[in-house]
């Protein structure tokens, strides 16, 4: 399935994945291939996804995700970067 993560600054991720987990407003949930169509609100947390043998994550502040025909498209806001050390 295809995962696309977009933020105001551009596309953060566009890759094939085996599964992806989201911090949903009603609780965390995982999407696998063949998932039913869905639109869900996202809250602060991490999107975690598996591509091949690699596990990755993207921290988000909030957003929403649309799942349709094995395409998972998330529009997100990112947290502000912390102070430089």
């Amino acid at each position: 399935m295809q995962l696309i993560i977009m933020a105001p600054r551009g596309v953060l991720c566009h890759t094939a994945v085996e599964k992806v987990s989201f911090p949903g407003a009603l609780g965390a949930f995982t999407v696998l291939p063949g998932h039913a169509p869905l639109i869900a609100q996202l809250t602060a947390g991490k999107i975690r996804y598996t591509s091949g043998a690699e596990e990755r994550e993207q921290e988000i502040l909030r957003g929403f995700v649309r799942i349709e025909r094995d395409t998972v498209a998330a529009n997100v806001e990112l947290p502000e970067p912390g102070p430089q050390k």
Side-chain angles (χ1 to χ4, degrees):
M1 97 188 135
Q2 288 294 309
L3 171 65
I4 305 161
I5 303 174
M6 296 166 281
R9 70 177 194 206
V11 177
L12 304 174
C13 168
H14 189 176
T15 190
V17 297
E18 285 79 43
K19 70 177 181 177
V20 58
S21 297
F22 292 98
L26 298 177
F29 63 97
T30 299
V31 177
L32 299 170
H35 197 287
L38 173 74
I39 295 176
Q41 181 181 354
L42 304 176
T43 59
K46 294 182 180 179
I47 298 173
R48 292 184 168 91
Y49 55 97
T50 304
S51 181
E54 251 183 282
E55 290 186 22
R56 295 184 174 210
E57 58 185 38
Q58 173 65 58
E59 188 170 355
I60 66 167
L61 185 59
R62 68 180 138 261
F64 68 91
V65 62
R66 180 180 56 128
I67 302 157
E68 187 174 29
R69 296 188 187 124
D70 280 342
T71 298
V72 180
N75 289 43
V76 301
E77 285 184 51
L78 301 176
E80 292 294 322
Q84 297 293 325
K85 293 183 180 180

